[in-house]
Amino acid sequence: MPKLLVVLLNWGLDTQLVMISLALNVVNFMTLNVGTFATPAVVLTVLKAAADRLQLAYNNRLNGDEAKIEYDKAAAALDKLLHDQAFYVNGIAKGDAAIIAKAGYKSTSADQTKKTKCVAPDAARLITNGGGGLKMMLTSVAQATSYIYVVFLGAVGTVIVGDNYVQPSLAGAIVVTNGKLSEILSGITKGTDVTVLAFAQNSAGISPSSMPATVMVN
């Protein structure tokens, strides 16, 4: 079954220059292909004016509170117009990438593979340094973008895992979020039995827990 192609809009709140560039690109391309896009949802002169407004607001954005407010309003206005125009182009194109390109937009497949949660990592390898330090190391997990370590000091509790958070049952537990494959903790009292649970994380959520790993900090 063929994949449906639709307009792709992709920018962050701190990349408004991308919006301006896209808007000017859409104006130029749709002007050249007026036969294909005879009655656009957003009149091209209006889209050009909104891009010019945002460019001016961007240049003045650091000139006080009023300038910042105008910058935010101009960005929101252009964002809406670009989405309105994209909706119109999608209706004309009906999945034809060539027609989407004629409008100055990029196309992307609407049939995208859904990202799944990572599998549980292996138990963390633990090393102490003789000075109250603890080094925790994991083997890389496929599709993981970061790791979470829950460190119990002494008594071991349970961990509640949500879509984007972990919550240990014991108040004294240490949680390292957005962690890397190797993390170091310091200042742990010598002689403390430390138990570590590890999790892998990506945009789909948090993996099941690793097996616990325990070591006495020296």
Side-chain angles (χ1 to χ4, degrees), residues 2-192:
K3 296 179 179 179
L4 175 65
L5 295 179
V6 296
V7 167
L8 168 66
L9 297 182
N10 183 21
W11 54 71
L13 294 177
D14 59 345
T15 56
Q16 311 300 4
L17 291 179
V18 176
M19 293 171 57
I20 297 170
S21 177
L22 174 61
L24 297 177
N25 198 50
V26 169
V27 169
N28 290 336
F29 273 76
M30 293 185 76
T31 298
L32 292 173
N33 295 284
V34 65
T36 304
F37 308 106
T39 56
V42 180
V43 177
L44 298 183
T45 54
V46 172
L47 187 58
K48 173 66 164 56
D52 292 341
R53 176 191 177 190
L54 181 54
Q55 181 65 70
L56 180 61
Y58 176 84
N59 295 340
N60 295 327
R61 69 192 186 284
L62 302 180
N63 296 331
D65 291 342
E66 289 187 9
K68 178 61 170 60
I69 292 171
E70 166 60 13
Y71 175 49
D72 292 340
K73 287 183 176 179
L78 183 57
D79 177 88
K80 182 180 185 306
L81 293 180
L82 283 168
H83 279 86
D84 288 346
Q85 200 79 317
F87 185 79
Y88 162 78
V89 171
N90 280 334
I92 297 293
K94 293 181 172 58
D96 189 325
I99 294 178
I100 291 173
K102 282 184 178 182
Y105 287 100
K106 291 183 179 180
S107 61
T108 185
S109 171
D111 181 19
Q112 298 180 2
T113 302
K114 183 178 180 181
K115 196 165 188 179
T116 57
K117 292 182 182 180
C118 305
V119 300
D122 294 333
R125 289 165 290 154
L126 308 178
I127 299 175
T128 65
N129 64 3
L134 174 68
K135 184 174 184 178
M136 306 176 291
M137 296 171 289
L138 292 174
T139 300
S140 178
V141 174
Q143 297 187 332
T145 55
S146 63
Y147 299 87
I148 300 172
Y149 298 86
V150 177
V151 183
F152 291 105
L153 306 177
V156 178
T158 58
V159 179
I160 297 173
V161 180
D163 288 338
N164 55 11
Y165 70 92
V166 297
Q167 179 64 55
S169 60
L170 299 180
I174 299 170
V175 179
V176 178
T177 59
N178 295 317
K180 299 182 285 294
L181 288 172
S182 178
E183 292 286 344
I184 296 176
L185 298 177
S186 60
I188 300 174
T189 303
K190 292 183 180 181
T192 301

